[in-house]
Amino acid sequence: MSTEGTPDAQIGEALLIRVVQDQFLNVPVGGNVCPPSLPEVQPLDNPQHQKLVEELGQSVRVIGDQLNRDQNFNNQIDILACLYDKGIFSKLVENVFSDGQINWGRIIVLYYAVGKLAVKMVLANLPRVFSELVDSCLDFFRTKLLVWIRNMGGWISSISAMTRFSVEHISASSFNIIPSAELAVAFFCGILLGSIIVWKLNRSS
């Protein structure tokens, strides 16, 4: 597939929306929980570009399964979920791009983490934070990541990189080490957030 004329901006936006939607499909509540209105992005008219988004979405799901088995990643998500405000995304970016370097693995980790956090915000009945989180990620993609993606040859170039994805490498290089005090806070915040989510699920069942 040629990269000439590939709308990398639209592909990146469509991929983020797909990742968020996929995360809601994993919520075991019989389909009763749906995300608030997602931002409208420019549709992809070219079937090849649509297929690329589907392939990228599948790659994110596979990588996400690996990330879900990584305790450091889950600890970071729990800490961020306790912020309950727009600062969630800023802190997420600070962790994922802690040394200022961009690579395909980190972009995918960012997208997947936003999807997981988005679900937590909706289940905790925080639609405003959900919207701010998704909007902030779209803005960050457009202003910070898109130029790098184009310089690397576009989204099509990410496919081969994703096949070499290493959770161990990403975990070591993309997330700050969490001090023990923060882990304790994350534990109690996780209990609180979990209680809210369980209450929401019971109400919707």
Side-chain angles (χ1 to χ4, degrees):
M1 184 187 303
S2 172
T3 60
E4 183 177 356
T6 301
D8 291 304
Q10 292 96 309
I11 289 173
E13 294 169 357
L15 177 60
L16 176 63
I17 300 302
R18 171 70 63 87
V19 170
V20 172
Q21 291 172 333
D22 283 350
Q23 285 299 302
F24 279 91
L25 294 177
N26 295 328
V27 179
V29 291
N32 292 327
V33 174
C34 297
S37 298
L38 288 163
E40 292 187 6
V41 297
Q42 187 173 346
L44 292 164
D45 298 324
N46 189 317
Q48 285 188 309
H49 299 158
Q50 295 172 0
K51 183 178 179 180
L52 177 57
V53 172
E54 293 175 2
E55 292 176 354
L56 290 169
Q58 178 60 35
S59 295
V60 173
R61 284 192 290 272
V62 172
I63 292 171
D65 288 341
Q66 298 180 51
L67 287 169
N68 278 332
R69 294 191 291 269
D70 184 81
Q71 191 58 49
N72 184 48
F73 174 79
N74 289 311
N75 287 339
Q76 292 285 353
I77 293 296
D78 288 341
I79 289 174
L80 292 169
C82 294
L83 296 179
Y84 300 127
D85 60 25
K86 194 173 183 178
I88 289 178
F89 185 75
S90 297
K91 187 64 175 177
L92 175 61
V93 169
E94 180 183 326
N95 285 350
V96 176
F97 302 98
S98 57
D99 58 3
Q101 298 299 310
I102 300 173
N103 59 48
W104 290 116
R106 294 183 180 192
I107 293 173
I108 297 309
V109 168
L110 177 70
Y111 273 32
Y112 185 73
V114 166
K116 285 186 71 72
L117 287 167
V119 170
K120 287 180 179 289
M121 295 304 100
V122 171
L123 292 177
N125 197 27
L126 297 169
R128 179 185 61 82
V129 181
F130 165 88
S131 297
E132 290 176 347
L133 178 64
V134 177
D135 286 341
S136 294
C137 189
L138 285 171
D139 288 342
F140 184 78
F141 162 72
R142 294 164 183 150
T143 59
K144 302 295 184 182
L145 301 179
L146 183 56
V147 171
W148 183 90
I149 289 170
R150 285 173 171 163
N151 288 340
M152 294 299 293
W155 281 102
I156 187 66
S157 301
S158 70
I159 298 296
S160 61
M162 289 185 195
T163 63
R164 301 189 301 271
F165 180 87
S166 167
V167 170
E168 290 76 15
H169 174 71
I170 292 297
S171 296
S173 62
S174 298
F175 290 100
N176 296 327
I177 301 301
I178 309 172
S180 57
E182 287 192 40
L183 281 175
V185 172
F187 175 76
F188 289 111
C189 286
I191 292 176
L192 176 60
L193 184 63
S195 299
I196 295 173
I197 291 174
V198 169
W199 177 75
K200 290 276 292 180
L201 296 182
N202 288 337
R203 286 193 62 192
S204 59
S205 61

